[in-house]
Amino acid sequence: MKKERGLRELYEQDPIAADEAVFGRRSGHDRRGFLKGAGLAAMGAALGSTLPFGRTMPAGLIPAALADSLEDFVIEGKNGLTVLNDKPVNAETPPHLLDDDITPIKHYFIRNNGVPPQDISPDGWRLTVDGEVNEALDLSIQDLADRFEVVTLRLQHECGGNGRAGFNPPASGNQWTTGAIGNAEWTGVRMRDVLNAAGIKDSALYTAHYGADSHLSGDPNKRPISRGVPIWKAMDPHTLIVWQMNGQDIHPMNGAPLRILCPGWPGSTSQKWLTRIQVRDVIHDGTKMAAPSYSVPMYSVQPGAEVETSDFKVIESMPVKSLITYPRSGHRLPTGHRILRVRGHAWSGDDVVTALDISYDFGATWTRADLQAPPNRYSWQRWEAEITFPTKGYYEIWARATNHRGQQQPFVPPWNPKGYLNNAMHRIAVMVPA
Ligand SMILES: Nc1nc2c(c(=O)[nH]1)N[C@H]1C(S)=C(S)[C@@H](COP(=O)(O)O)O[C@H]1N2
Ligand SMILES: [Mo]
């Protein structure tokens, strides 16, 4: 398993690289190596005051006031995320900060494979559509807005590796717990309308997505990631090319100024900093398309087994899942109280969640929660339940979603070499004092 690196360690080893990982390359440093621009502003905001001598503060120096709370301060415009120990920045959302129906930008998770682009101004941004099309397109964001119907949808979007930390033996990669999921309100155009404008040929089989971020190695010939989807998924009216998140500009770390939002499929199919969609007559073979990336064995394997590359299949629809977003784990009822209302969200890849059950006796008995229909397809669904605890004591609340195919969240999900698709039931602890 890859050794994890804390931010503090990162700062000790390579402070300039740490600044870049934390603040993004666009924050930059001046010629003497001092932090400037957005990075400086972020540090000031985190400290709750401006830095009078900020301009002469050497890059890579962690302000003493922040040294003990690095996990909280680091990314401008983000708040409360848990920064995972990796470079570039990967940050997940604690479950209690996912309580809103629409995930706020500040709480939306970040998963970067490479170095985000420096210039993300929407003016001058171009999207190329080419490959197996009758007429290649070269579009500005304004062109997209002018030429196609603009739509706004709430869409669930989860990293294929979410939950990886729960597998035993452990799988290498970011040790996501439960927070690489978000359900924001995205505004843009349907990918289908753009592809139809280009005119897809009969030979069209798969899309290939390209973004403006660069490879961690700095090698311009390598791409951090380039994935795609079968044409039928690209043509689904919920697969969007978006430039707004919750009615605002997309956060720079979430792919501004333009990205794909391909709901219900591994987050990696939703290319950020989108510059090109190529229509292909073969299954796309871009970076991180081939097994074992974003792939699982075709059959169930013994934990820890080695699996032949040819025995993997690419992940498509994500599995049925849910979260308890209130209360926060460790909640203590006030003395004399036995009643608690719990709530959360449930979602299921391309499918609809039809039931949510909770247990407060370690799975011995289950109670059906109230479950709402999604406001639009591919949004997660709100659920809520009231529990009356029979005695004082320590309780665990478990939540288990079921989709319209009858598929349910397991207690122990199938182990796989890369640690994908962990949809184990979410559990929280509650104390009832008396
Ligand atoms: N260009 C680009 N697009 C990308 C990535 C990336 O590293 N570069 N990461 C992918 C992965 S693995 C995920 S899970 C989602 C994460 O989206 P978010 O950072 O907005 O939460 O973006 C996807 N799109
Ligand atoms: Mo991902």
Side-chain angles (χ1 to χ4, degrees), residues 78 88-91 108-117 157-162 174 176 179-182 186 209-214 224-227 245 250-256 258-261 265-275 288 294 420:
K78 294 288 180 181
V89 168
N90 286 268
Y108 204 95
F109 80 103
I110 301 168
R111 198 292 186 239
N112 291 344
N113 288 269
V115 182
H157 172 228
E158 180 178 15
C159 180
N162 195 23
N174 290 304
W176 304 107
I181 167 79
W186 298 94
H209 311 152
Y210 301 90
D213 46 342
S214 49
I225 191 167
S226 171
R227 304 196 70 244
M245 182 178 190
I250 296 174
H251 187 279
M253 290 293 156
N254 299 120
L258 194 68
R259 77 173 299 170
I260 293 172
L261 209 297
W265 281 38
S268 51
T269 58
S270 293
Q271 196 82 24
K272 302 194 278 189
W273 310 292
L274 180 70
T275 55
K288 304 208 175 179
Y294 300 105
Y420 294 121

Side-chain angles (χ1 to χ4, degrees), residues 239-291:
T239 301
L240 305 183
I241 300 169
V242 295
W243 56 83
Q244 276 198 330
M245 182 178 190
N246 301 350
Q248 288 174 259
D249 291 342
I250 296 174
H251 187 279
M253 290 293 156
N254 299 120
L258 194 68
R259 77 173 299 170
I260 293 172
L261 209 297
C262 180
W265 281 38
S268 51
T269 58
S270 293
Q271 196 82 24
K272 302 194 278 189
W273 310 292
L274 180 70
T275 55
R276 180 183 178 205
I277 300 172
Q278 180 194 18
V279 179
R280 303 202 58 180
D281 58 5
V282 292
I283 295 174
H284 182 44
D285 53 0
T287 309
K288 304 208 175 179
M289 263 313 300

Side-chain angles (χ1 to χ4, degrees), residues 8 18 47 55 69 117 154 176 185 246 259 308 336 347 377 404 422 426:
R8 188 186 308 273
L47 282 167
R55 303 247 156 238
S69 59
R154 294 185 201 178
W176 304 107
E185 194 165 71
N246 301 350
R259 77 173 299 170
E308 294 283 336
W347 63 98
R377 250 206 86 197
H404 77 268
N422 187 334
H426 186 210

Side-chain angles (χ1 to χ4, degrees), residues 80-97:
L81 299 186
T82 308
V83 175
L84 300 182
N85 303 313
D86 207 348
K87 180 179 172 245
V89 168
N90 286 268
E92 71 171 331
T93 320
H96 67 282
L97 296 184

Side-chain angles (χ1 to χ4, degrees), residues 193-253:
D193 295 346
V194 178
L195 295 180
N196 280 338
I200 49 172
K201 294 185 177 167
D202 289 345
S203 52
L205 189 72
Y206 224 86
T207 57
H209 311 152
Y210 301 90
D213 46 342
S214 49
H215 195 265
L216 277 182
S217 66
D219 182 343
N221 298 315
K222 286 187 180 164
R223 292 179 201 287
I225 191 167
S226 171
R227 304 196 70 244
V229 294
I231 283 292
W232 69 262
K233 179 64 177 175
M235 297 300 272
D236 184 288
H238 304 88
T239 301
L240 305 183
I241 300 169
V242 295
W243 56 83
Q244 276 198 330
M245 182 178 190
N246 301 350
Q248 288 174 259
D249 291 342
I250 296 174
H251 187 279
M253 290 293 156

